[in-house]
Amino acid sequence: GQLEGIEELIQTSLKSRRAILYTDLAHSPFFREGSPYSSVLVVPLLIHQQAAGFLLAADQRPYEREDQDILTLMALQFGPILETVRLFVDLRAAHQALEQSQAQLIQSSKMAAIGQLAGGVAHELNTPLGAITVSIDSIASCLDLRSEKGLLRLEKTRKACANMKAII
């Protein structure tokens, strides 16, 4: 398309980390037939001396050294702005990850507290149930064997206690 050839110019500018100005693109190695541009100016955006993007000006009118200087000054200002934006985005992502970690930690703490509470309740209920079961066994051994009805009731009570322990 219209930027064919100019893409190579951009890559050259980014690799060299220098501005490139062609006032007459038709007499450059980057010219392609059908290009609507006669003048091209490319300035790399540098962050910590590394190319992070570029500013491109392409037009029919010829660009001059003054245009290159202005675009270079703009690139010098945009580089730190881009870095600040990147740092802000990174900070925001880190903050969101921290909030998620905090929410998970709070949830884990809640679950641990519920587990401790359930363990305490189970212990507190199992202790009297054990005493009841021992008492039932003791009463059953003391009952007269002729009292089948009493033994059946005690057996039902023992089974109820066993069920309660299983539930706990």
Side-chain angles (χ1 to χ4, degrees), residues 3-159:
L3 294 179
E4 192 176 321
I6 295 176
E7 290 174 354
E8 293 174 43
L9 178 64
I10 292 167
Q11 291 304 319
T12 302
S13 174
L14 291 174
K15 284 179 187 175
S16 68
R17 294 191 304 267
R18 294 180 178 258
I20 298 177
L21 169 63
Y22 277 101
T23 56
D24 187 7
L25 188 62
H27 293 97
S28 78
F30 304 104
F31 179 73
R32 299 295 183 271
E33 283 297 325
S35 175
Y37 308 115
S38 60
S39 182
V40 175
L41 172 58
V42 179
V43 179
L45 290 173
L46 302 177
I47 298 174
H48 305 295
Q49 296 302 319
Q50 296 297 318
F54 60 90
L55 297 178
L56 170 69
D59 202 351
Q60 287 293 324
R61 74 169 183 88
Y63 289 108
E64 298 175 9
R65 176 77 173 158
E66 182 181 330
D67 298 317
Q68 180 179 340
D69 291 343
I70 291 171
L71 207 58
T72 301
L73 285 174
M74 290 174 64
L76 288 172
Q77 293 174 352
F78 286 151
I81 291 170
L82 286 175
E83 178 66 3
T84 302
V85 169
R86 186 193 64 77
L87 290 172
F88 177 76
V89 169
D90 289 351
L91 178 65
R92 195 172 181 180
H95 185 261
Q96 287 175 343
L98 178 63
E99 285 179 339
Q100 288 176 349
S101 294
Q102 285 176 333
Q104 289 173 350
L105 182 61
I106 289 169
Q107 187 65 22
S108 295
S109 296
K110 288 178 182 178
M111 294 304 287
I114 289 171
Q116 288 177 342
L117 177 65
V121 169
H123 175 73
E124 292 301 319
L125 291 176
N126 274 328
T127 300
L129 273 175
I132 292 170
T133 303
V134 168
S135 295
I136 290 171
D137 290 340
S138 178
I139 293 170
S141 67
C142 295
L143 273 181
D144 187 2
L145 294 176
R146 291 175 273 159
S147 177
E148 250 184 72
K149 192 173 184 179
L151 286 172
L152 282 173
R153 286 185 180 164
L154 285 176
E155 187 58 32
K156 283 183 181 180
T157 306
R158 185 183 297 124
K159 285 182 181 177

